[in-house]
Amino acid sequence: MLVALSFAMFACFIYLLISGRMSAVATLILIPSIFALIGGFGPEMGVMVIKGVRTIAPTGVMLIFAWPISG
């Protein structure tokens, strides 16, 4: 079930980005949220979002400070 859901989500990503119907940022936010709800992960989505932000935030901060040096 989850594998089929993952392939369907990937197909939606590709279709929406290539067709230009949604921007990349909106697609990366909305599509996983919709498919998480379809998959039954609604109650855990808040915890997943917080964990993801905590994981990615240090990399974002490093890129902010490293960007002017490399450019």
Side-chain angles (χ1 to χ4, degrees), residues 1-13 35:
M1 167 77 182
L2 287 178
V3 173
L5 201 61
S6 299
F7 279 116
M9 184 176 73
F10 184 72
C12 285
F13 271 131
F35 276 87

Side-chain angles (χ1 to χ4, degrees), residues 4-7 11-12 14 22-25 28 30 36 40 42 45 47 49 54 56 60 62 66:
L5 201 61
S6 299
F7 279 116
C12 285
I14 298 301
M22 290 180 74
S23 70
V25 174
L28 288 171
L30 291 176
M45 280 178 58
V47 175
V49 169
R54 284 187 183 156
I56 298 300
M62 283 192 315

